[in-house]
Amino acid sequence: MATVANLTRPGERAEQRRKLVFAAIKYGALTALTLLWLVPVFSSLITSFRTMDDISINGFWSIPSEVTLDKFQEAWKAARIRQYLLNSFIITIPSLAGMLFLASLTSYALARFRFRGNLFIYFMYVAGMMLPFQILLLPVFRLVNRLGLYDTYAALILIHTAFQLGFCTFVMRNFMRTVPGEILDAARVDGCGEFRIYWQIMLPLSLPSLAALATLEFTWVFNDFLWALILLQSDALRPVTAGLATLQGQYVTDWPLITAGALLATLPTVFVFVFLQRYFIQGLTLGSGK
Amino acid sequence: MSTIASTAPQQQPRHALRAPIDPTWANFVGLISAAALLFAFLFAPWYWGEVKYNGARLMSEVLVDRPYGQYTSAMIILIPLAALGTVLITLWGLNSPERGKLASFGTSLFGLIALFYFLDFYALQDNELIDQYVQTSSGFTIALVAAVVLLGQAVLLHPWINEGLFRLSETGSARLPAVPAWLIPYLFLAAPLALYVVWIIAPTIYTFYLSLTDWDGVSSPRYIGLKNYKDLFAHRSFTEALGNNVRWLAVFITVPTTLGLALALIFNTEMRGGKWYKVSFYSPLVLSGPVIALVWSWVYHPSKGLINPLLVDSGITSSPPGWLADRQIAIYCIIVAAAWRQVGYVMVLYLAGLKNIDPTLLDAGLVDGTNRWQLFRYIIFPLLAPVTTIIVIISIIDSLRAFDLVQIMTRGNQNTEVLANLMYMEAFNNYRMGYGGAIAVILFSISVVFVGLYLWRTLKDELEY
């Protein structure tokens, strides 16, 4: 290494130094920007460990006079975050299973068969995924009331399953088209029924797209706020998004409690994001329709 | 792929030697009953009379110690556990015949677990409240039957019954006509399409009708022609909302797009720790609307927030802006919070686009002696054009959908009304559902232009094909 350095001409050494300085500036600027970007997150984390008295008297930009976990405890039990989170799971998991299963059925038919209306049905699903929710609110509200499902988990599970079918079908249908047809034909020649081909060959081969979709859809359904607002009334059934909005009304000035609640509410999606990040990003790019 | 090819021929000689037990029947029965169990738990009323809740709701009452929780045994949590467990284990079993037997025994075990709830309900516990006030209903009964079937399905593995089923299916399939080939795709489509039409397509059309009525959510809708639309354009709140949507849109297609592209270009090169920087920028994507709204409301809080105390303490200004309380800038404060999340999304899409660029093109550019800016301006950016188009369209559609942040941060006050929120407030706060429907139709009509563009971009290839 040393000999190499000695052999280089002085001009090149200056060039190297220039590169090093440039890299230092680049990393410094990026780190500063990243920290600035995450200020809202970090500062709410810090706030949730403090008390409102402390913040009111000393302001946020002061050394905390005491650090406490009380606000998390209070948010968990007294502010009912525990219950809201449970509701979110009761709504999200069946919706997820339902939409993935139904969308995989649709996608198999759309990707692997030629029949009248194939492209039209596909268009319908893709168009549906971009609709503004507002166009559905009133009739769905009416339908849910007619079916006697108002203020039940079932209403939310059904609408999430139905609405997300569009996106899931879009992604999975395109994925299934990339599976080579020879595999399926070989199975067909062996006398395998269509449902078995779908179930035992197509689905296992589509697992990557299923994983990406499951991760992405989990966050989306978990983070839904509007439908919970429209289709539920009882506080006991609210998912965590709608629950947080109620908290804000209830504990107007207690910012440490609200930020603690918000952080607890984010834990499941953050967990998914941290461990399944690859699938999450994959889903996003698949879904942009490139 | 190769495993499928190699296992298929191996199975046939084994079949010929001795008829093995076919566990598919047992697994299939297990799967169906688990689905029935879950369905009954989520959708059907568990009790009738005093407590008309379904199983899922009763369970949540138990788990968080709410009053109605005492009407059931805490063991109710075993029901969804058993159902989900069975679904997983039977799916696992159905996918490969070797595991079928084990899956069937597992299913029986889950059946036993589910039955423990009923045992507990009838025999073990001595709860006067339940004895007095509770009469079981359809959900409870279906669940009980399903649990018994879960336990019992292992019987189908017994050689006699299994062989009988095999013969029965042979004669059955011989007698029944085969499903005609043209019908097969429609069979796959039927269930999801029915759900989609009832919950998405039909409501979309029905809103158009509702927008022509004076529906208030209670009485039946009465046709009033275009009155709602005339009112709409006469009201100030509507033009205000429209204006704010345009502002939102203008910021969304410029700021997050540029910033996201810049970040994507930086992180596209190999760099140490690049992954962590990337994660920081797209992590806001997993936060829900309400969380972002609450965090930013606090950041903007005039006296106890994040920005103002800093401004005052550092002596920059003694009368800092009121942010969300200031009618002039409140809407931009909300847009900044929304853009904060959008940047990560744009970055992800651009990064994917950059990965698809053929590196030889860039090398060719470098050999020709172009500088970095020229490389970007004349090679990279034109190659990214399709991605940019999609991003712009998605940004427009997202800005028309904007609702959560406005609803929570200002509820549309302080001159921050947007169409989506106005529609919600009119329909569900003021019970002017017909009027709300008219706003929804307008919002839909604007979106349709861009959704059409998006469809055309993504599906162009399909049409040519």
Side-chain angles (χ1 to χ4, degrees), chain B residues 179-228:
Chain B
V179 181
W182 63 267
L183 193 65
I184 292 173
Y186 296 106
L187 287 180
F188 274 99
L189 283 172
L193 202 58
L195 186 79
Y196 198 70
V197 167
V198 170
W199 288 82
I200 310 294
I201 304 294
T204 304
I205 299 162
Y206 193 55
T207 305
F208 280 83
Y209 166 69
L210 283 178
S211 75
L212 302 174
T213 67
D214 66 347
W215 192 37
D216 56 5
V218 185
S219 54
S220 57
R222 194 166 52 92
Y223 181 81
I224 54 166
L226 290 172
K227 186 172 176 303
N228 285 327

Side-chain angles (χ1 to χ4, degrees), chain A residues 68-112:
Chain A
T68 162
L69 278 171
D70 288 358
K71 288 296 168 183
F72 283 99
Q73 210 174 9
E74 198 185 334
W76 185 247
K77 278 202 106 166
R80 301 181 302 282
I81 291 291
R82 175 175 69 145
Q83 175 180 0
Y84 297 141
L85 274 176
L86 179 72
N87 290 336
S88 283
F89 279 110
I90 295 180
I91 293 162
T92 308
I93 290 171
S95 315
L96 209 57
M99 73 179 78
L100 291 180
F101 175 62
L102 292 177
S104 67
L105 283 176
T106 314
S107 310
Y108 182 62
L110 292 179
R112 285 297 165 185

Side-chain angles (χ1 to χ4, degrees), chain A residues 31 61 131 135 142 173 200, chain B residues 94 206-207 277 306 462:
Chain A
T31 310
W61 300 97
L131 286 181
I135 196 77
R142 195 155 193 225
R173 179 253 190 201
Q200 294 195 333
Chain B
L94 278 171
Y206 193 55
T207 305
Y277 290 111
L306 195 66
E462 309 275 345

Side-chain angles (χ1 to χ4, degrees), chain B residues 393-432:
Chain B
I393 296 173
I394 289 178
S395 300
I396 294 173
I397 293 170
D398 279 352
S399 57
L400 289 170
R401 275 180 168 184
F403 168 77
D404 304 21
L405 298 189
V406 175
Q407 173 62 24
I408 295 178
M409 288 168 91
T410 59
R411 288 177 72 81
N413 297 317
Q414 307 303 337
N415 199 7
T416 59
E417 197 60 274
V418 288
L419 287 177
N421 188 59
L422 183 68
M423 187 268 159
Y424 167 77
M425 294 302 264
E426 288 292 352
F428 293 94
N429 256 37
N430 306 339
Y431 299 102
R432 297 167 70 192

Side-chain angles (χ1 to χ4, degrees), chain A residues 27 31 34 37 47 61 106 114 116 123 128-129 131 135 138-139 142 153-154 173 199-200 223 266 277 285, chain B residues 43 60 91 94 186 192 196 203 206-207 272 277 280 282 286-288 298 306 340 352 401 433 459 462 465:
Chain A
Y27 275 96
T31 310
T34 313
W37 200 252
T47 306
W61 300 97
T106 314
R114 279 164 176 269
R116 280 175 69 103
F123 267 45
M129 80 191 205
L131 286 181
I135 196 77
L138 299 172
R142 195 155 193 225
Y153 294 123
R173 179 253 190 201
W199 186 253
Q200 294 195 333
N223 285 347
T266 335
Q277 203 191 100
T285 36
Chain B
F43 294 88
S60 87
L91 290 184
L94 278 171
Y186 296 106
Y196 198 70
Y206 193 55
T207 305
R272 205 176 281 245
Y277 290 111
S280 316
Y282 56 59
V286 296
L287 303 182
S288 64
W298 173 73
L306 195 66
W340 183 62
R401 275 180 168 184
M433 301 245 172
L459 306 181
E462 309 275 345
Y465 163 81

Side-chain angles (χ1 to χ4, degrees), chain B residues 49-61:
Chain B
E50 293 281 310
V51 195
K52 261 188 237 157
Y53 290 167
N54 57 36
R57 177 149 189 196
L58 280 172
M59 181 186 78
S60 87
E61 298 262 334

Side-chain angles (χ1 to χ4, degrees), chain B residues 111-140:
Chain B
L112 214 57
I113 291 174
L115 278 176
F116 188 76
Y117 164 75
F118 296 99
L119 193 70
D120 181 66
F121 185 88
Y122 281 121
L124 295 181
Q125 66 168 359
D126 184 24
N127 187 331
E128 281 180 23
L129 265 176
I130 295 182
D131 291 345
Q132 258 183 308
Y133 294 104
V134 160
Q135 282 136 319
T136 57
S137 182
S138 56
F140 185 90

